[in-house]
C-alpha cells in the first residue's frame, strides 16, 4: 500500500516536471517569436476559469507540500478575454508558481479577476516578503531574480519577463504592488475582452 502511494507520488512528480520543462521550452520559443515581431498563437475568446483550473491542477502538488491555501475569486459571469490560451495559461502558471515560491508555509494565495470596461484585471496575491518599491520596475527584466526575505531564488529568472512580454503582446499591462495591508505581493495584469 505504502509502496503504491510512494510510486504514485514519484510518477506525479515526474509528470509535473515534464510539463514544467515543456512550459519552459515553450516560453523560450514564445520569447523568440515575440522578439522577432511575429504574432503569438491564435487569439480567440478564452474563458479564464478553464485556464485557472489547469493551473490549479499543475500546482496542486507543490501547494499541498507547502500547505498553501489557494482561493480563486472569479465571478461566475466573467466575460471571455481575447487571447492565445497557451500563453495566458503560462502567464498564470508563472505568477502562481512565483507566489508558491515566496509564500510562507500554510500561507494564502488569492487569484482574482475583475471585469472592467474593455479589459479584465487579473491579480495573484501572496503573503510572502513582498517586492521593494525600487525593485518593482526591474523584476520583469530578463534573468533578474530578487532575493526576498533571505529566500534564494531558483529557476532561470525567465518567468516574470515572459509574463511581461506575453501580456504586452496581448495589448495588456502588468505590474506588481504591495499586497493587502502592505503584506506580500500583488501581481496584476490586464487582458482585453473578447470582441
Amino acid at each position: 500500500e505504502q509502496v503504491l502511494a510512494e510510486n504514485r507520488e514519484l510518477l506525479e512528480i515526474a509528470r509535473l516536471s515534464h510539463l514544467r520543462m515543456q512550459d519552459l521550452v515553450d516560453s523560450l520559443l514564445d520569447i523568440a517569436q515575440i522578439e522577432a515581431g511575429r504574432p503569438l498563437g491564435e487569439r480567440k475568446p478564452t474563458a479564464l476559469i478553464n485556464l485557472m483550473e489547469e493551473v490549479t491542477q499543475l500546482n496542486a502538488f507543490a501547494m499541498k507540500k507547502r500547505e498553501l491555501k489557494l482561493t480563486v475569486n472569479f465571478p461566475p459571469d466573467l466575460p471571455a478575454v481575447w487571447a492565445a490560451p497557451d500563453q495566458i495559461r503560462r502567464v498564470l502558471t508563472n505568477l502562481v508558481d512565483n507566489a508558491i515560491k515566496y509564500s510562507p508555509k500554510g500561507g494564502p494565495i488569492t487569484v482574482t479577476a475583475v471585469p472592467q470596461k474593455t479589459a479584465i484585471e487579473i491579480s495573484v496575491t501572496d503573503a510572502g516578503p513582498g517586492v521593494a518599491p525600487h525593485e518593482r520596475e526591474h523584476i520583469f527584466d530578463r534573468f533578474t531574480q530578487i532575493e526576498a526575505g533571505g529566500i534564494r531564488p531558483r529557476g532561470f529568472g525567465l518567468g516574470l519577463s515572459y509574463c511581461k512580454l506575453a501580456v504586452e503582446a496581448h495589448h495588456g499591462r502588468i505590474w506588481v504592488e504591495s499586497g493587502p495591508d502592505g503584506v506580500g505581493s500583488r501581481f496584476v495584469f490586464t487582458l482585453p475582452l473578447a470582441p
Side-chain angles (χ1 to χ4, degrees), residues 88-130:
I88 299 309
R89 180 181 52 76
R90 280 201 276 285
V91 168
L92 283 166
T93 299
N94 283 330
L95 292 177
V96 170
D97 194 43
N98 200 55
I100 290 170
K101 195 191 301 187
Y102 291 108
S103 285
K105 192 173 181 181
I109 295 174
T110 310
V111 184
T112 304
V114 180
Q116 295 172 333
K117 276 199 184 81
T118 58
I120 290 180
E121 185 181 283
I122 303 107
S123 61
V124 179
T125 307
D126 64 58

Side-chain angles (χ1 to χ4, degrees), residues 180-192:
D181 303 324
V183 175
S185 302
R186 184 170 176 262
F187 282 85
V188 192
F189 67 100
T190 61
L191 290 172

Side-chain angles (χ1 to χ4, degrees), residues 16 20-21 33 37 48 51 53 58 77-78 81 86 88 104 106 116 121 124 128 131-132 136 140 148-149 156-157:
L16 292 175
R20 288 193 170 286
M21 206 47 165
Q33 288 273 69
L48 284 170
L51 298 185
E53 279 166 10
L58 265 179
D77 54 352
L78 189 68
V81 291
D86 282 348
I88 299 309
Q116 295 172 333
E121 185 181 283
V124 179
V131 181
R136 287 177 191 168
F140 296 102
F156 295 93

Side-chain angles (χ1 to χ4, degrees), residues 6-191:
E6 282 170 9
N7 281 348
R8 243 199 310 274
E9 191 167 303
L10 277 175
L11 279 172
E12 184 62 1
I13 292 169
R15 188 181 74 86
L16 292 175
S17 298
H18 171 73
L19 288 172
R20 288 193 170 286
M21 206 47 165
Q22 188 67 52
D23 255 359
L24 181 62
V25 170
D26 289 342
S27 297
L28 288 167
L29 293 173
D30 284 350
I31 288 171
Q33 288 273 69
I34 295 167
E35 290 185 338
R38 284 195 286 273
L40 256 194
E42 198 192 331
R43 315 259 162 110
K44 54 186 184 188
T46 301
L48 284 170
I49 192 71
N50 297 348
L51 298 185
M52 198 55 222
E53 279 166 10
E54 288 178 42
V55 172
T56 304
Q57 284 174 343
L58 265 179
N59 285 289
F61 188 79
M63 299 210 54
K64 192 174 157 204
K65 230 174 165 50
R66 304 278 312 278
E67 296 167 24
L68 301 168
K69 295 168 187 67
L70 177 69
T71 306
V72 179
N73 290 331
F74 283 19
D77 54 352
L78 189 68
V81 291
W82 188 245
D86 282 348
Q87 271 86 40
I88 299 309
R89 180 181 52 76
R90 280 201 276 285
V91 168
L92 283 166
T93 299
N94 283 330
L95 292 177
V96 170
D97 194 43
N98 200 55
I100 290 170
K101 195 191 301 187
Y102 291 108
S103 285
K105 192 173 181 181
I109 295 174
T110 310
V111 184
T112 304
V114 180
Q116 295 172 333
K117 276 199 184 81
T118 58
I120 290 180
E121 185 181 283
I122 303 107
S123 61
V124 179
T125 307
D126 64 58
V131 181
H134 67 277
E135 289 172 336
R136 287 177 191 168
E137 282 303 300
H138 303 296
I139 198 168
F140 296 102
D141 297 346
R142 194 170 322 173
F143 302 124
T144 295
Q145 292 190 313
I146 307 292
E147 191 163 315
I151 299 168
R152 240 189 74 72
R154 57 188 171 78
F156 295 93
L158 273 176
L160 292 177
S161 59
Y162 174 78
C163 291
K164 183 177 165 68
L165 282 168
V167 167
E168 289 179 353
H170 281 79
H171 308 296
R173 35 192 291 271
I174 185 167
W175 68 95
V176 60
E177 55 195 37
S178 291
D181 303 324
V183 175
S185 302
R186 184 170 176 262
F187 282 85
V188 192
F189 67 100
T190 61
L191 290 172

